[in-house]
């Protein structure tokens, strides 16, 4: 309603719209556990490009309403039980009927009925938002270029000690639980270390253990994804089955938006939040009757993961939460995410500023990110 009210009063003065915020992300591109195609083994991708770090960024104009589905209680909460292993297997995809494509269900009025899915638009109103105006993809590209510019790298703040410690706990539990050698655990002892590494432990070379979480100052502090969709709900949820559902939705919307079949749940990312569907709906409603449609983008920083660390279960193909369970972080991660997407938007503005002023005034375009409270 706020976005719609601003557009009603000032829409003719708006050249573009960028919504920014924090979100839960998957831990790895394509998910750590992949019930589709198989639970036989966890995702073996452990390299830097695959592992998502808190602070990574999703830039997308697309959003989908996670709530649009039929959800059966017994199937959702007991369907994953492996009775032979006596565990609730985390590698499992909940069955959901009448999903986001069921436009015949939702109609144009945004009301909700839990017995139908995101495809049932005749019931809920629109559940998927991927019809974007001219200029939108160019805005995505411009933001992506800003995120990967030297300007963004130079101003990105060093991760806090609290963030690095939480990263270390999370990925140590993932490494030990799944017996996977994630990229951030550098091997070989002190002789192989680059002196420019920032280490959250102090004490010099002799005190280091070989499995040590390190962050190279010379690398960009975050990755930026465009193979992602904002998956929204009006409540918070966590767990690998829900994470797998979000990736399915992300791939589905990306394929619709690009009129292709290029995207699969095993190679996409999502940002789980709340606001994108409302923001997109308001902009799209305005654009429908405007002679000058407004390009729009959602930019999300990863403030936390969509599930806690997981471990191999008692029999092959089953997975459980790592013990003792790690508590969610609702502090350091939000600061990291905000720092990083702020670097992106400020780098964009600086690039535009530099392109629009004379050489003598270019110093007016400089900025820095200050430490928060």
């Amino acid at each position: 309603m706020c976005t719609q009210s601003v557009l009603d009063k000032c829409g003719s003065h708006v050249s573009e719209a960028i919504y920014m915020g924090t979100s839960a992300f998957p831990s790895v591109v394509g998910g750590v556990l992949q019930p589709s195609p198989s639970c036989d083994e966890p995702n073996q991708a452990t390299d830097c490009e695959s592992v998502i770090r808190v602070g990574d960024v999703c830039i997308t104009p697309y959003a989908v309403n996670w709530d649009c589905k039929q959800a059966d209680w017994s199937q959702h909460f007991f369907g994953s039980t492996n009775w032979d292993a006596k565990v609730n297997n985390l590698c499992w995809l909940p069955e959901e009927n009448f999903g986001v494509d069921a436009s015949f269900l939702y109609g144009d009025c945004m009301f909700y009925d839990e017995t139908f899915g995101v495809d049932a638009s005749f019931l809920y109103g629109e559940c998927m938002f991927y019809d974007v105006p001219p200029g939108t993809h160019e805005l995505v590209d411009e933001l992506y270029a800003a995120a990967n510019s030297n300007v963004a790298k130079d101003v990105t703040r060093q991760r806090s000690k609290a963030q690095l410690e939480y990263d270390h706990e999370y990925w140590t539990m993932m490494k030990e639980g799944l017996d996977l050698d994630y990229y951030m655990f550098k091997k070989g002892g002190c002789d192989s270390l680059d002196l420019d590494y920032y280490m959250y432990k102090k004490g010099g070379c002799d005190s280091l253990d070989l499995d040590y979480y390190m962050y190279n100052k010379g690398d960009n502090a975050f990755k930026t994804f465009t193979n992602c969709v904002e998956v929204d709900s009006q409540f918070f949820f966590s767990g690998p089955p829900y994470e797998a559902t979000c990736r399915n939705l992300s791939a589905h919307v990306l394929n619709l938006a690009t009129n292709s079949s290029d995207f699969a749940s095993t190679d996409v990312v999502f940002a789980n939040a709340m606001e994108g569907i409302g923001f997109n709906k308001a902009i799209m409603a305005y654009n429908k009757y405007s002679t000058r449609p407004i390009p729009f983008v959602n930019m999300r920083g990863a403030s936390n993961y969509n599930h806690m660390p997981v471990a191999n279960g008692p029999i092959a193909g089953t997975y459980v939460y790592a013990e003792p369970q790690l508590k969610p972080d609702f502090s350091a991660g939000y600061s990291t995410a905000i720092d990083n997407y702020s670097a992106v938007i400020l780098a964009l503005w600086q690039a535009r500023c530099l392109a629009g002023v004379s050489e003598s005034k270019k110093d007016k375009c400089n900025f820095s990110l200050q430490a928060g409270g």
Side-chain angles (χ1 to χ4, degrees), residues 133-148:
T136 294
H137 295 118
E138 290 79 2
L139 181 56
V140 170
D141 291 342
E142 193 177 6
L143 282 165
Y144 184 82
N148 289 280

Side-chain angles (χ1 to χ4, degrees), residues 51-332:
V51 173
I52 295 174
R53 300 185 71 196
V54 170
D56 285 352
V57 173
C58 163
I59 300 174
T60 180
Y62 311 127
V64 59
N65 189 344
W66 187 89
D67 293 336
C68 294
K69 61 174 163 288
Q70 177 185 14
D72 178 81
W73 172 270
S74 60
Q75 203 279 335
H76 256 243
F77 291 91
F78 301 106
S80 64
T81 302
N82 186 304
W83 301 105
D84 292 332
K86 298 181 180 179
V87 296
N88 189 274
N89 187 12
L90 295 177
C91 187
W92 169 70
L93 188 64
E95 180 182 340
E96 294 176 347
N97 300 316
F98 297 106
V100 284
D101 293 320
S103 56
F104 69 94
L105 261 181
Y106 308 124
D108 293 328
C109 44
M110 295 292 286
F111 61 94
Y112 178 74
D113 185 318
E114 288 188 348
T115 61
F116 298 96
V118 280
D119 298 327
S121 58
F122 73 90
L123 233 189
Y124 303 127
E126 292 172 78
C127 291
M128 297 180 290
F129 302 88
Y130 58 87
D131 186 14
V132 298
T136 294
H137 295 118
E138 290 79 2
L139 181 56
V140 170
D141 291 342
E142 193 177 6
L143 282 165
Y144 184 82
N148 289 280
S149 67
N150 288 331
V151 172
K153 292 180 182 181
D154 291 343
V155 302
T156 299
R157 291 176 52 213
Q158 186 62 265
R159 289 168 185 256
S160 66
K161 180 174 182 289
Q163 182 64 65
L164 290 168
E165 288 177 344
Y166 191 85
D167 289 349
H168 182 262
E169 285 187 89
Y170 187 97
W171 289 105
T172 296
M173 294 180 76
M174 291 282 278
K175 174 181 183 292
E176 295 175 350
L178 297 173
D179 194 27
L180 290 174
D181 195 18
Y182 289 100
Y183 83 95
M184 68 283 289
F185 294 98
K186 305 293 183 183
K187 303 289 188 180
C190 284
D191 292 341
S192 69
L193 297 184
D194 184 326
L195 294 180
D196 198 26
Y197 275 107
Y198 176 91
M199 295 168 239
Y200 79 91
K201 291 181 181 176
K202 306 295 182 182
C205 240
D206 294 338
S207 69
L208 299 184
D209 117 357
L210 296 185
D211 285 347
Y212 201 84
Y213 192 94
M214 292 169 286
Y215 169 57
N216 192 326
K217 285 182 179 177
D219 291 339
N220 198 352
F222 59 90
K223 295 184 292 297
T224 309
F225 300 100
T226 56
N227 59 330
C228 56
V229 167
E230 181 169 324
V231 181
D232 286 346
S233 176
Q234 299 310 303
F235 67 97
F236 292 104
F237 53 84
S238 174
Y242 292 148
E243 188 269 352
T245 300
C246 287
R247 284 187 286 106
N248 275 357
L249 290 172
S250 183
H252 181 59
V253 172
L254 285 166
N255 283 327
L256 288 172
T258 58
N259 192 28
S260 74
S261 56
D262 295 340
F263 299 92
S265 64
T266 53
D267 56 30
V268 297
V269 176
F270 64 84
N272 173 218
M274 292 183 173
E275 298 87 356
I277 54 173
F279 174 76
N280 285 26
K281 175 64 177 177
I283 301 286
M284 289 168 67
Y286 175 86
N287 285 345
K288 186 175 181 179
Y289 300 104
S290 174
T291 57
R292 189 184 58 82
I294 299 171
F296 61 91
V297 169
N298 299 304
M299 182 163 62
R300 293 287 185 172
S303 55
N304 56 293
Y305 295 118
N306 201 241
H307 63 74
M308 290 294 101
V310 296
N312 293 318
I315 65 175
T318 65
Y319 304 88
V320 296
Y321 284 115
E323 296 289 347
Q325 290 191 29
L326 183 64
K327 292 183 178 180
D329 164 46
F330 294 117
S331 178

